[in-house]
Amino acid sequence: IYLAWNDTCERVSFPNKLTGGTYNFQGYNIYRIRPNTVYPNKSDTILIKTFDIIDGIRNIRDSVYDKEYQNIVYGVVQNGSDNGIARTIELTKDTVSGAGFVNGSEYKFAVTAYYYDPSGGINSLPKLLTSSLTENIIRVIPQGIAPEAQINYERSDTIRTDQRDLAVM
């Protein structure tokens, strides 16, 4: 499965009216959403990859309300990687089952952007702002090559086949 997205989120920033700071684009998170999930929450998603601007900002820490302890805790709210921004990803196996993708089966993914304001904090809006997961769901159904499709191969390309003893030159 090959996912691609545009750079629209990278050209947007949001004002933090309480601090006077600005939320600037920091990176993308790519998620796999568990099957049979209509409105996914955190437990329904699996983070596949994070693409992050190379700027020295990696893990973003912030104060957040912890429902379990009914208290405000300080910790990592976004893991960064400083690996650079990419707008495509190729997936070769299902991150839920670990097996290969099955033709004709539906898979759901989401690409979200996240923004960072270092001046945010406990008495203002948080340091991290994220685009909506549910509004960015991508449904994918892998399919084999259509009958009578013409495919061009170049010298030394690998041709996949289900015949183990087949030799092609």
Side-chain angles (χ1 to χ4, degrees):
I1 294 177
Y2 184 81
L3 301 176
W5 54 95
N6 63 28
D7 65 347
T8 304
C9 296
E10 298 169 39
R11 294 180 268 138
V12 178
S13 61
F14 301 95
N16 185 338
K17 294 179 181 177
L18 293 176
T19 65
T22 303
Y23 290 101
N24 292 311
F25 174 80
Q26 187 64 35
Y28 294 108
N29 287 320
I30 294 82
Y31 296 96
R32 165 75 162 89
I33 299 171
R34 293 188 189 280
N36 305 317
T37 304
V38 178
Y39 299 105
N41 57 33
K42 192 172 184 174
S43 64
D44 296 324
T45 61
I46 299 168
L47 179 64
I48 297 173
K49 181 88 174 175
T50 297
F51 295 111
D52 183 29
I53 292 175
I54 301 172
D55 60 359
I57 299 170
R58 291 182 181 225
N59 296 334
I60 298 174
R61 297 178 172 275
D62 201 1
S63 299
V64 292
Y65 182 74
D66 188 316
K67 291 179 185 177
E68 182 179 342
Y69 297 108
Q70 296 183 356
N71 200 354
I72 294 176
V73 295
Y74 186 76
V76 175
V77 293
Q78 172 67 51
N79 291 314
S81 56
D82 261 2
N83 62 349
I85 297 299
R87 291 179 205 90
T88 62
I89 188 169
E90 185 176 352
L91 307 169
T92 57
K93 67 178 182 174
D94 182 5
T95 52
V96 173
S97 68
F101 293 109
V102 177
N103 285 344
S105 296
E106 181 181 79
Y107 298 91
K108 294 179 186 176
F109 300 92
V111 177
T112 62
Y114 67 95
Y115 301 82
Y116 174 60
D117 175 13
S119 63
I122 194 167
N123 296 321
S124 65
L125 293 174
K127 293 180 182 182
L128 185 72
L129 187 64
T130 332
S131 62
S132 170
L133 182 77
T134 55
E135 291 178 13
N136 294 302
I137 294 177
I138 303 163
R139 290 176 173 77
V140 178
I141 301 174
Q143 299 175 14
I145 298 171
E148 299 182 16
Q150 293 185 8
I151 299 171
N152 298 321
Y153 288 101
E154 299 291 324
R155 183 176 295 181
S156 77
D157 281 353
T158 301
I159 300 175
R160 306 217 182 271
T161 176
D162 59 356
Q163 305 294 317
R164 293 179 184 213
D165 59 348
L166 181 62
V168 179
M169 293 184 68

